[in-house]
Amino acid sequence: MSAPLSEDWIRLLRKAFWGWNIWSSPRFYGLDLLPDEKPLIFVGNHTMMGAYDVPFMVLAVWDRSGKLLRGLADPVH
């Protein structure tokens, strides 16, 4: 079980990916449609670049709803 997400962790994540954020300018649409009471599944890129998608998905959902996305991947990753 992981520790609860803290504002320090969020700041660290933003700092670690600031350059990639500027270079790639990710956009998320429909975050205003996230239901508060239902479980959701988010699917990211499954290529080599998938490791860069997840932090931005985590931050976008956190900023919108205060909810933490948790990853699910093959152990090889």
Side-chain angles (χ1 to χ4, degrees):
M1 188 163 151
S2 61
L5 186 65
S6 69
E7 291 298 322
D8 290 336
W9 191 87
I10 289 290
R11 278 192 293 278
L12 179 64
L13 188 62
R14 286 187 206 285
K15 188 175 183 178
F17 285 89
W18 73 269
W20 186 254
N21 186 33
I22 291 169
W23 185 78
S24 63
S25 300
R27 299 288 181 258
F28 296 91
Y29 300 96
L31 291 177
D32 55 326
L33 303 174
L34 294 176
D36 292 329
E37 66 283 345
K38 295 182 180 179
L40 302 170
I41 294 177
F42 286 78
V43 178
N45 195 346
H46 287 75
T47 68
M48 294 292 288
M49 302 305 277
Y52 296 108
D53 290 350
V54 174
F56 297 115
M57 288 174 58
V58 168
L59 290 171
V61 172
W62 176 261
D63 290 344
R64 166 60 179 91
S65 67
K67 294 183 179 180
L68 175 62
L69 293 181
R70 300 187 188 276
L72 174 65
D74 186 273
V76 173
H77 293 95

